[in-house]
Amino acid sequence: MVTSLVPVTFIDIHTHILPGIDDEPKNIDESLSILRGASKAGMKRIVATPHVFMENSDSTLDAAGKNFVILKTETARQEIDIELFLGAEVYIGVGLAEAVKKDSRLTIGGCGKYILFEMPFFEIPVYAGKILFDLLASGVTPIWAHPERCQEVIDDFNSVRTYTGNGVKLQINSGSLAGVYGRKVKRSAIRLIENGLVHIMASDTHRDGGAEVFIKGYLKLKEICGSEKANEMCFRTPSEIIEMNKV
């Protein structure tokens, strides 16, 4: 049992658990199975973050909202001890800061304070700096999802410093430390951690088995930076982000 190995609780701010949304679980039974596994592994709060692209954000967010209510209701009915929140994983694009001003559903918990965004996997776009600056200037903190998987970061981890220095937070995937994406990505994640550039670890889970991968990643994280820092990335910092929903 993973819970016997890791007697702590976690908060996961990056998951794909909503039934019937893009590459997420096909039905609610699959979603509930993921949540049961997460609960057993010590997850107490989870943010559902479906993929959102600027060109079809309204329809995706509408569908996500409806499916989230269904999942949250069924989670409570089946007494799965996890508190659910809704956010999005937004693909970076021109006009993102303006879009967030118009629709806070793009942010974590809809609170308008934090946004989880995704870069292209091959390189950092030339326009990324301007978009992220505009978000920060408007009071929204960008959280860069799995930068360790971006080829430009794999080639040179220092490429993230321009962004972290301005206030962007980095979220690595537990699967990266567990070796799910291969040796280069794992090494990329380790370099970011060793250089104090990572703020959060999350699962980015899409299916059953994500909880086990998270625990493997957590144990590797502790090995790299110690229990105190690992718990900060997996509980305290995500908790601060979640608590913004109550402000």
Side-chain angles (χ1 to χ4, degrees):
M1 288 288 291
V2 289
T3 50
S4 64
L5 292 173
V6 188
V8 294
T9 59
F10 305 109
I11 296 174
D12 195 351
I13 68 159
H14 182 180
T15 70
H16 299 276
I17 57 171
L18 295 182
I21 304 292
D22 59 39
D23 61 347
E24 305 195 20
K26 294 183 177 65
N27 54 59
I28 195 165
D29 289 334
E30 290 185 8
S31 297
L32 292 168
S33 181
I34 293 171
L35 291 175
R36 289 190 192 95
S39 180
K40 290 178 182 177
M43 289 292 176
K44 292 301 179 185
R45 290 170 160 181
I46 287 179
V47 183
T49 53
H51 295 288
V52 173
F53 297 89
M54 298 290 289
E55 59 269 22
N56 62 355
S57 62
D58 285 344
S59 58
T60 302
L61 291 169
D62 288 345
K66 292 175 183 177
N67 289 8
F68 176 75
V69 171
I70 293 169
L71 180 59
K72 190 171 183 178
T73 300
E74 192 62 19
T75 299
R77 192 184 73 81
Q78 298 208 16
E79 299 182 342
I80 300 172
D81 186 22
I82 288 180
E83 187 177 6
L84 297 179
F85 298 84
L86 181 58
E89 181 184 13
V90 186
Y91 197 81
I92 196 168
V94 175
L96 180 56
E98 290 76 14
V100 171
K101 288 179 184 177
K102 294 177 182 177
D103 195 342
S104 63
R105 293 181 299 172
L106 292 165
T107 62
I108 292 177
C111 68
K113 296 295 184 182
Y114 292 91
I115 184 168
L116 182 72
F117 75 93
E118 181 177 22
M119 292 276 202
F121 282 113
F122 48 93
E123 65 181 356
I124 301 170
V126 293
Y127 53 78
K130 174 66 165 58
I131 293 169
L132 298 175
F133 175 82
D134 288 345
L135 284 166
L136 287 161
S138 66
V140 180
T141 299
I143 302 172
W144 183 352
H146 45 65
E148 75 279 8
R149 298 178 65 191
C150 175
Q151 188 60 52
E152 188 169 335
V153 179
I154 291 172
D155 293 340
D156 179 13
F157 73 88
N158 284 306
S159 59
V160 307
R161 290 188 186 275
T162 298
Y163 308 101
T164 57
N166 288 329
V168 174
K169 294 186 180 296
L170 302 191
Q171 173 259 302
I172 62 164
N173 283 3
S174 53
S176 297
L177 290 181
V180 171
Y181 310 108
R183 288 186 296 175
K184 288 184 178 179
V185 172
K186 182 176 182 178
R187 183 57 191 158
S188 175
I190 291 171
R191 283 175 177 158
L192 290 171
I193 295 164
E194 288 176 339
N195 283 273
L197 295 166
V198 177
H199 304 87
I200 304 156
M201 189 179 82
S203 72
D204 191 11
T205 189
H206 288 68
R207 59 190 63 86
D208 258 343
E212 287 76 11
V213 173
F214 186 91
I215 295 303
K216 288 180 182 178
Y218 173 76
L219 293 173
K220 182 63 179 178
L221 184 62
K222 282 208 308 179
E223 180 184 316
I224 298 166
C225 61
S227 296
E228 183 70 18
K229 192 66 177 177
N231 292 339
E232 180 180 314
M233 293 184 200
C234 298
F235 181 78
R236 285 195 298 278
T237 299
S239 180
E240 290 170 5
I241 292 167
I242 292 292
E243 288 300 318
M244 289 304 298
N245 291 282
K246 300 178 180 180
V247 175

